[in-house]
Amino acid sequence: MDPRKPEQRKRRAAHVANIGRTCLGFLGFVGELYLEPSFVGAAGTIRAETKEFKLAGQRKQIVHTYWHHHSFPNPEPPTRRLPINSTNIAKLIEVIPDVSTTTYQRRRRFILVKLLEITGARRVEIANIRVEDIYNARKMKQEPVLKVFTAKRSGGREEYRYLPVSKMDLELIVNFIEKFRHRIIKKTIVALVTWAIC
C-alpha cells in the first residue's frame, strides 16, 4: 500500500504474482526478439522458471505454462464463505416490514429469504425457480424435492439438482403464489393488453 494513499486498497498476493508473470512473459518475448533466449530463465540474466498446471477438460487435459520468480508472494489461503447462521436469518426476517412499503413486498421478501434458508441455493438459482417447479414438488406425496438450477457447472451444460423441502414450506410458497403473486400478474397482463389496444 502506498503510504501517501492510505485509502487505496492493498493488492492481493495473487494479483501481484499475475502482474509479475505478465512482466516476465514480456521480458522473455523481448529476449527471443533480440536473439537472447537465455535473457529470462533458470540460469538467465533474469532468473525465473516456468511451471505448469493441468486442467481436466471434457475430452482432454489442458496444460497451462506460467512464469515463476522466487520473489513472488505466496498465494493467500482461499477465503471460506460460511453459511448465514440462524440469528442473522432471523434479523433479516425481522427487518422486512421496516424496509417494505406494501403487503406484497413484505410477503415476497419473506418468501425469498425463506427459499434461501431452506434450500441453501445461490441468489441466481432462487431467481430461476419457476412456479411449475413449486407445484411439481407439492404434488409429491412423500419427501418432496424442489428442482433447482445449478449456477456453478462445468462445460456450459444446463444442470439441475433436487433439494428436499418440507410440505409446510411448500404450502407457504403456494399461498404467496395464489394470494399475492397471481393478483400482480393479472394486473400486469391487463395493463399490457390495454396498452396494446391503445
Side-chain angles (χ1 to χ4, degrees), residues 17 23 29 48 52 54 76 88 99 104-105 108 114 131 143-145 167 173 190 192:
C23 292
F29 164 75
E52 61 180 41
K54 298 172 183 176
E76 296 159 343
N88 287 334
V99 295
Y104 172 76
Q105 270 188 1
R108 184 174 183 271
K114 197 71 185 166
V131 171
E143 298 178 3
V145 289
K167 289 183 183 248
I173 298 163
V190 169
L192 285 171

Side-chain angles (χ1 to χ4, degrees), residues 7 25 30 45 65 80 111 114 116 131 147 181 192 198:
E7 73 284 354
V30 170
T45 309
T65 307
R80 290 188 66 196
I111 292 297
K114 197 71 185 166
L116 288 164
V131 171
K147 181 183 174 184
R181 186 179 181 274
L192 285 171
C198 296

Side-chain angles (χ1 to χ4, degrees), residues 31-43:
E32 287 176 12
L33 185 67
Y34 288 97
L35 304 176
E36 281 193 49
S38 62
F39 183 54
V40 180

Side-chain angles (χ1 to χ4, degrees), residues 58 122 124-125 128 148-161:
Q58 281 184 302
R122 297 174 179 87
V124 67
E125 294 171 344
N128 277 280
V148 177
F149 166 73
T150 302
K152 277 195 173 181
R153 59 200 185 280
S154 58
R157 295 189 307 274
E158 198 170 90
E159 291 178 10
Y160 293 88
R161 61 191 190 279

